[in-house]
Amino acid sequence: MESPTLAGWVGDVAGFTGRQWQREPAVFTPETLASPFGLDELDAAFDGGLLRTPYLEMVRSDKVTVPAGAYTTSRVVNGTTHHGFADRAKVVALLRSGATLLLRCVDQWHRPTGDLVARLSEELGRRVEAFFFVTPAGSQGLAVHRDDADVFVLQAAGRKTWYVHDAPAVADWALGELPDDERSPLRLRSVLEPGSVLYVPRGFAHRAVGAAGLSAHLSLTIRDVSLQDLRTALERQLTEGLDLPARPLGEAAIDDACATLLSHARARLDAIAPEDLRTAARTAQARLPLATPQPDTSRQPDASQQMETFAEAARNWGDGGSGARRAGPVSVSRTWRRLRDAARSAR
């Protein structure tokens, strides 16, 4: 496992891979703060005015559901009412009452977090997602539960006490909150300070309780393959290179398609090793859309066709809008006035 990003958190990646990875929880103290998202970035997201459900949620560990209306507001845009916009005053009030703020898929809307997630996903060959939690002291957002992912917790602010329990005792283990009659032995108890990094192996039960002030952390979930992922990968492997009509017409054509499919699958099956199937499943999973979509190089062969920003478009607009010549601040201003006046005259 070679990962420059991971090395910045755990130091000796080879030692981490041999001792902790998918075996044992551990806490690390990097030299620099690992989380690109903290309370300042949270405020900026609220200030931007576009944060809304389903990207934010308020949760409690006592099985009490917090309705979206309790922490969001509605707005009228172009005469239409839209719901679910984050309301900071309501969120703070709920935090004071013991609820936890959960931001989902931060990598999809916060560029630095998206860059980190894309980098880590490429390095590990697995799908990664980012979630941000803000919890008041003495409270916890989720009860003891198991995740279908390895998790790196990057403590961003405040202090939080983590309890990590044992791995599942059976192979066919269930996700989510532990049943009341399941008692999983405690493997780690640690208070995370800002800058601390906690690793929780996939399936290990865990919970976190705010220890001081407002505690905030970024959770990076690293997904691994499931049985369904392996089945899908096997189907693709068995049918690779097969050219059959999508809708065979008539009994004879259907029988021919069945015979061809079975013959092809038998031949392919003998050539597929377990590690081939595992690699194919992980590759397909890692290629799922990430927070920062990468350019399709098969359709964009040169740098001139890469996606440009609005600022670049404005600088390159020129008289005809083709980007044929670069425009300085004065010509950009003239272009903007011309576009504005044209829009006004079209009303």
Side-chain angles (χ1 to χ4, degrees):
M1 179 185 294
E2 295 182 5
S3 174
T5 301
L6 190 59
W9 300 341
V10 306
D12 178 13
V13 174
F16 168 77
T17 303
R19 290 189 298 270
Q20 281 96 21
W21 178 249
Q22 298 188 335
R23 295 182 182 88
E24 190 74 28
V27 176
F28 304 93
T29 307
E31 294 182 359
T32 59
L33 185 67
S35 177
F37 195 91
L39 296 181
D40 289 340
E41 289 74 19
L42 176 63
D43 272 323
F46 274 86
D47 290 341
L50 296 179
L51 182 61
R52 61 182 303 187
T53 56
Y55 286 116
L56 84 155
E57 184 179 346
M58 300 293 290
V59 296
R60 296 180 183 272
S61 62
D62 53 8
K63 297 183 173 60
V64 174
T65 300
V66 183
Y71 51 87
T72 63
T73 188
S74 301
R75 296 179 186 164
V76 177
V77 181
N78 197 27
T80 302
T81 301
H82 300 269
H83 305 284
F85 290 92
D87 186 310
R88 181 159 28 202
K90 291 181 179 179
V91 169
V92 171
L94 283 169
L95 285 170
R96 292 190 182 281
S97 72
T100 286
L101 171 63
L102 165 58
L103 299 185
R104 295 187 177 277
C105 301
V106 181
D107 47 300
Q108 293 182 3
W109 49 270
H110 182 249
R111 182 58 181 268
T113 301
D115 289 342
L116 171 63
V117 162
R119 195 165 60 246
L120 187 61
S121 177
E122 182 178 1
E123 292 169 3
L124 300 182
R126 291 169 171 81
R127 179 171 172 78
V128 182
E129 295 171 310
F131 303 85
F132 190 71
F133 294 81
V134 181
T135 305
S139 298
Q140 65 183 57
L142 303 174
V144 182
H145 65 282
R146 300 189 191 278
D147 291 324
D148 189 19
D150 293 273
V151 180
F152 280 99
V153 174
L154 314 182
Q155 188 70 15
R159 299 167 61 221
K160 184 167 289 184
T161 304
W162 282 82
Y163 303 84
V164 183
H165 297 257
D166 215 342
V170 295
D172 193 19
W173 54 281
L175 299 176
E177 188 174 331
L178 264 62
D180 292 337
D181 60 351
E182 182 175 347
R183 297 290 181 267
S184 182
L186 186 66
R187 295 284 289 272
L188 179 147
R189 179 188 183 279
S190 181
V191 179
L192 297 193
E193 306 277 352
S196 299
V197 173
L198 166 68
Y199 168 67
V200 181
R202 181 187 185 195
F204 279 55
H206 57 277
R207 68 184 178 99
V209 181
L214 277 182
S215 170
H217 74 269
L218 186 72
S219 282
L220 300 179
T221 59
I222 303 168
R223 308 292 180 185
D224 211 337
V225 293
S226 64
L227 179 58
Q228 184 56 51
D229 295 320
L230 294 172
R231 285 173 174 167
T232 301
L234 178 60
E235 180 182 356
R236 289 173 178 165
Q237 293 274 303
L238 292 179
T239 58
E240 187 178 67
L242 185 63
D243 185 16
L244 283 174
R247 300 174 186 83
L249 190 61
E251 287 295 313
I254 293 175
D255 287 345
D256 286 344
C258 289
T260 302
L261 182 59
L262 287 171
S263 176
H264 184 88
R266 290 189 183 103
R268 289 284 302 153
L269 191 60
D270 289 338
I272 301 173
E275 55 269 24
D276 297 329
L277 184 61
R278 181 189 64 216
T279 300
R282 282 182 176 158
T283 300
Q285 184 192 61
R287 284 176 178 169
L288 290 171
L290 293 172
T292 311
Q294 300 300 308
D296 183 354
T297 54
S298 65
R299 302 175 66 179
Q300 298 179 338
D302 59 73
S304 65
Q305 297 182 12
Q306 300 299 312
M307 181 175 60
E308 63 179 343
T309 66
F310 288 110
E312 290 169 341
R315 287 194 298 268
N316 299 332
W317 195 274
D319 290 334
S322 64
R325 67 179 179 87
R326 298 189 64 85
V330 175
S331 61
V332 169
S333 178
R334 284 199 301 267
T335 300
W336 172 249
R337 288 198 299 270
R338 187 164 56 250
L339 293 171
R340 179 197 61 196
D341 294 342
R344 287 175 175 172
S345 63
R347 291 177 181 172

